[in-house]
Amino acid sequence: MTVNTPDNMEGFETKPFIDFAQMAYLNYSMYVILDRALPHIGDGLKPVQRRIIYAMSQLGLGKNAKHKKSARTVGDVLGKFHPHGDTACYEAMIHMAQPFSYRYPLVDGQGNIGDMDDPKSFAAMRYTESRLAPYSELLLDEIGQGTTIWIPNFDGSLEEPKILPARLPNLLLNGTTGIAVGMATDIPPHNLCEVSRALIQLIDDPDTDIEKICTLIKGPDYPTRAEIITGPEQIREIYSTGGGKIKMRAEYTFEDDDIVITALPYHGSGEKIIEQIAGQMEAKKLPMVNDIRNESDHENPTRLVIVPKSAKVNKQGLVNHLFATTDLERSYRVNLNMIGIDGYPRVKNILTILSEWLEFRLETVRKRLEYQLDKVVDRLHILEGLMAAYLNLDEIIRIIRDSDDPKTELISRFDLSERQAEAILEIRLRQLAKLEEIRIMSEKDKLEEERKRLEKILSSDTLIKKEIKKEIRADMKKYGDSRISPIKEREEARAFSESDVIETEPVTVILSENGWIRSAKGHEIVPDNLKFKANDHLLSYSRTWSDAHAAFFDSEGRCYSLGCHTFPSARGFGEPITGRLSIKPDAFIKYMVAEKEETIIFVFSDHGYGFLTPFSNLKAKSRNGKFLIQLPENAALMEPVPVFNKETDRIAVVTSKGRLLVFPVNRMAVLDKGKGNKIIGIPPKELKSEDPERIKTLKILPSGSNLVIRSGKHSLRLSGANLEEYTGRRAQRGKKLPGGFRHATSIEVESNADTTTE
């Protein structure tokens, strides 16, 4: 590509592109930080907010003025001081008028200025009206008294204040948020009375530490009655470091059987919370909730009613669950980042903020007093000239009547200044009365006293601080109020576990050979009578409860789990288990057990090895399942069986060669996974023979039960002494059953029967 460059580069600045880009970005970053996103510690305002407040004061929109269209105000701000987008400017103005956004609103809005559910739902600027709120006087009262630095506006045609002379630290009272380049600020609002007391304490004792400040400023005070549940220690840490998180929780009451939410966390949306709760209800995670209504109105700005299904519902537990899972409890970041009086952005702790603001206020009050003193001295100077005129009234009149240049002659004749001579020449005839002379003498005496007072105060920082303290007390009395957000220590909210929200009812879970799962209500259903898809049959079923879990075992020794309440109804064919579990195509589902977590399960292979494990260990965290039992070569997993009582139950194991061994369950090890212990001693040669010996059946015998072995039409019931003949130690070879029962067709467990042979 050809780049055309001037033949003569003289007069052109040349700079490497990387240097130019770095400098341009740095300049942009500093502009965003200093002139857009971060507030100044002095008045707590960003530039756009400061310009809005000043422009409204120039328009005469004080607290007692008639409201004017917001479009008029925004137009003045943009045209005179802030040449940016009207939408952003209008939004900043409306935000300062919202009582649910600002702790002490600076603007008094009229019309639709948004609501708590959606602060940005305000009407267009052509519809709303505005004027300054009474609180804004704290920022503007001293603006014309030499207290602020004036800078040119964007086009140099006007001047605007660099910082407003705030009488209180508005930065802490209203807080602010902002995102700059590489930094951000999140300053929460505070209570005016608490901050004022902290300032007075700091004036009285400059060595006050943060611990003492934190006893006066309890914490943030948001414009909502929702509770601040962050503990005092955490709040102290936030104020010490300048960063952290504040947690808020909705206010609620119990009305009869209903839960009524009466206040939401700062900027919490009732509509969003209703959506969150309704979503949980649709997902069947809140079966104990019957309905939720929004009854908010003008008299009750926040009133959300949650209706439980019955009076037996644990309402406090339900509320705690909603705190943990919805915006009824929210966290707010605190980042006390601001532009200090030195002009640099920095994160400061609460003590530094108060101390630095007092420095700003001290300088502001000093400028105000010096301005007042200059005015008093100037007026005294004029009064001295007027007194000279009254003492020589006839001569003054003669000079004015006869002289061509009375001003010059007055200056030379009576040793006056130009200001004094001008004042004498501007005297009207009515002011030549004797009473006017008396009034001037009285005014002069008062001004002399005022001059002495001002000079005395200005000569001592202690007296200036005393003046500041008096003004803080006056402002606290005029604008102060009680804390809105209570601070309370609460236990951490806990969401319901899956079992907490499941309605417990008897169910029968059915699994087919092709891996289709379904669930029927009740234990009366006969699974064999159910219909299955073509070429599909019953594999396994379990009578259990809806709050239990089902464990599935594949042919490779892995286990998987699903909640019984999640299965489709048995009215249909169910759904394939492979849609929920990631099972290898060649590792088909072999067995299923559905139990509760506290149940002990006996897991074993046909090679004679196994172990006990709690059912909770079978619950896999993912659809991929988990490894459970190590299967020797050519070994197969047998159907796991639940244990009723680990200390009193016995294991009865029968091999394919007709050997029976009975021993206590507690002789088996409890493991999470592995091969397990030997159950019955099958010799290795028997395992590898042409007709290998394997475990045929294993039963758990509760205390007092009998073992029934059936072979064709005959049955053998073993109990008492007869059963003891087959009782031994774990891992023994076992004793052979009578000849006719070595190839038993079924083995069952019965209770309270005598040993007989049929």
Side-chain angles (χ1 to χ4, degrees), residues 625-641:
K626 60 187 290 188
F627 170 75
L628 181 66
I629 183 169
Q630 179 184 339
L631 299 174
E633 187 178 357
N634 298 323
L637 177 70
M638 300 293 286
E639 182 175 4
V641 291

Side-chain angles (χ1 to χ4, degrees), residues 81-187:
F81 307 111
H82 196 74
H84 296 278
D86 59 340
T87 302
C89 180
Y90 177 53
E91 185 176 327
M93 188 185 79
I94 286 294
H95 190 62
M96 291 190 288
Q98 294 174 336
F100 48 84
S101 294
Y102 262 48
R103 181 63 178 82
Y104 301 96
L106 290 161
V107 176
D108 178 10
Q110 187 168 268
N112 177 12
I113 60 170
D115 56 46
M116 285 188 291
D117 281 339
D118 186 4
K120 293 190 177 183
S121 62
F122 46 82
M125 70 178 83
R126 61 183 178 274
Y127 299 119
T128 62
E129 297 178 340
S130 57
R131 66 181 178 188
L132 290 171
Y135 173 83
S136 63
E137 292 177 348
L138 288 174
L139 302 173
L140 295 167
D141 267 2
E142 300 174 357
I143 197 167
Q145 301 182 34
T147 54
T148 187
I149 298 172
W150 295 87
I151 58 176
N153 69 339
F154 64 91
D155 63 1
S157 61
L158 296 169
E159 287 190 329
E160 60 177 307
K162 187 176 181 180
I163 305 293
L164 295 181
R167 294 166 61 93
L168 287 174
N170 179 64
L171 179 69
L172 287 177
L173 301 185
N174 273 320
T176 191
T177 61
I179 300 175
V181 179
M183 60 178 62
T185 183
D186 290 277
I187 303 173

Side-chain angles (χ1 to χ4, degrees), residues 480-493:
D481 56 6
S482 301
R483 167 174 282 277
I484 296 179
S485 302
I487 299 177
K488 297 182 180 179
E489 288 194 69
R490 302 289 190 189
E491 292 184 4
E492 187 172 350

Side-chain angles (χ1 to χ4, degrees), residues 348-397:
K348 306 176 188 291
N349 62 42
I350 191 72
L351 184 58
T352 303
I353 293 172
L354 294 173
S355 302
E356 200 166 313
W357 184 85
L358 279 175
E359 288 181 37
F360 166 81
R361 184 60 186 160
L362 187 69
E363 185 60 28
T364 301
V365 172
R366 188 188 303 279
K367 288 179 180 178
R368 188 192 74 205
L369 293 174
E370 288 174 348
Y371 176 83
Q372 292 173 352
L373 180 59
D374 290 342
K375 288 287 186 182
V376 168
V377 170
D378 183 63
R379 182 60 181 167
L380 283 172
H381 179 65
I382 291 172
L383 290 178
E384 287 174 0
L386 293 178
M387 285 304 301
Y390 279 101
L391 292 174
N392 302 277
L393 193 55
D394 293 338
E395 181 69 11
I396 295 289
I397 293 172

Side-chain angles (χ1 to χ4, degrees), residues 23-41:
M23 184 56 65
Y25 188 72
L26 181 61
N27 290 338
Y28 169 74
S29 302
M30 292 308 296
Y31 164 73
V32 173
I33 291 169
L34 300 178
D35 204 39
R36 186 185 298 178
L38 297 190
H40 192 279
I41 193 171

Side-chain angles (χ1 to χ4, degrees), residues 39-53:
H40 192 279
I41 193 171
D43 56 12
L45 300 175
K46 301 176 187 178
V48 65
Q49 296 169 328
R50 186 178 302 118
R51 288 163 179 164
I52 290 170
I53 298 300

